[in-house]
Amino acid sequence: MADEDFEEFAQATAGRLRDAAFLMCRDWHLAQDLTQTTLAKVYANWRRVRRADDPHAYARKILLRCMIDQQRRRSSRELAMSAPPERSEEHPAELRMTLLDAVATLPLRDRAIIVLRYWDDLSVETTAEVVGVSTAVVKSQSMRSLNRLRELLGETRSELFAEERH
């Protein structure tokens, strides 16, 4: 029964974890590895995790810790680039890549906060818990990071979101 519960959890969660990992690291292969590592760690503690209030929050926290550990282990600051998976074209690919490039300039913790708040649509409180900081830090870093992204994107920002206005 526990294995079936975990399998259901993993199937429901893996895609979202992988996407969040990619937004943080910009490498699909590393994102897949981080997702697998995260799910392995969740499975190892599944009896305790499944009784938790929010197993998804636990998985996101493990993913972030795996990402931080990976960042610390990297011997160089090279950024491996690979093409994102096929998706529907809501925005031209080059504009999406411009946005991803801008997000990649943020420090890892700020990137994690932005991804958790605006990609995973988590509350300030949940994001603070996952990242391990206060809600005030999440609010201030979100504001600073969004301002930084606005500066970096400049006129491109209006192109990215032009479709939403129509």
Side-chain angles (χ1 to χ4, degrees):
M1 186 65 151
D3 284 345
E4 290 172 4
D5 288 347
F6 175 76
E7 188 175 328
E8 185 178 310
F9 171 82
Q11 287 178 351
T13 308
R16 197 78 176 155
L17 289 172
R18 186 198 63 235
D19 290 348
F22 173 75
L23 289 171
M24 287 188 249
C25 72
R26 298 285 313 274
D27 179 344
W28 280 109
H29 300 291
L30 178 57
Q32 290 172 330
D33 290 346
L34 291 168
T35 302
Q36 290 301 314
T37 301
T38 298
L39 291 173
K41 290 182 179 193
V42 169
Y43 181 73
N45 295 299
W46 184 242
R47 287 185 181 178
R48 183 172 44 93
V49 172
R50 73 178 180 176
R51 291 188 306 264
D53 289 338
D54 188 358
H56 298 285
Y58 180 87
R60 286 189 296 265
K61 186 179 283 191
I62 295 301
L63 175 67
L64 179 59
R65 289 180 182 163
C66 289
M67 180 68 201
I68 292 169
D69 289 346
Q70 171 64 30
Q71 194 78 12
R72 287 179 184 150
R73 282 193 299 264
R74 265 199 169 155
S75 60
S76 71
R77 289 290 172 197
E78 290 183 61
L79 181 64
M81 300 296 288
S82 65
E86 294 296 321
R87 294 215 169 168
S88 64
E89 294 291 326
E90 290 181 19
H91 303 292
E94 68 183 47
L95 289 177
R96 284 196 331 269
M97 293 307 292
T98 300
L99 179 60
L100 291 173
D101 288 343
V103 171
T105 65
L106 299 173
L108 179 59
R109 185 177 76 177
D110 296 350
R111 213 175 323 151
I113 289 170
I114 292 295
V115 168
L116 293 171
R117 284 283 293 129
Y118 302 105
W119 172 260
D120 276 346
D121 198 27
L122 299 181
S123 68
V124 171
E125 293 77 15
T126 304
T127 302
E129 182 182 325
V130 170
V131 178
V133 296
S134 70
T135 57
V137 169
V138 170
K139 290 175 185 178
S140 66
Q141 290 307 115
S142 293
M143 184 180 66
R144 286 185 193 140
S145 295
L146 289 174
N147 285 336
R148 176 72 179 138
L149 292 173
R150 286 181 188 110
E151 288 172 13
L152 289 171
L153 293 171
E155 291 301 313
T156 307
R157 191 170 133 253
S158 61
E159 291 176 40
L160 276 168
F161 302 107
E163 287 182 18
E164 292 178 11
R165 291 187 205 129
H166 298 302

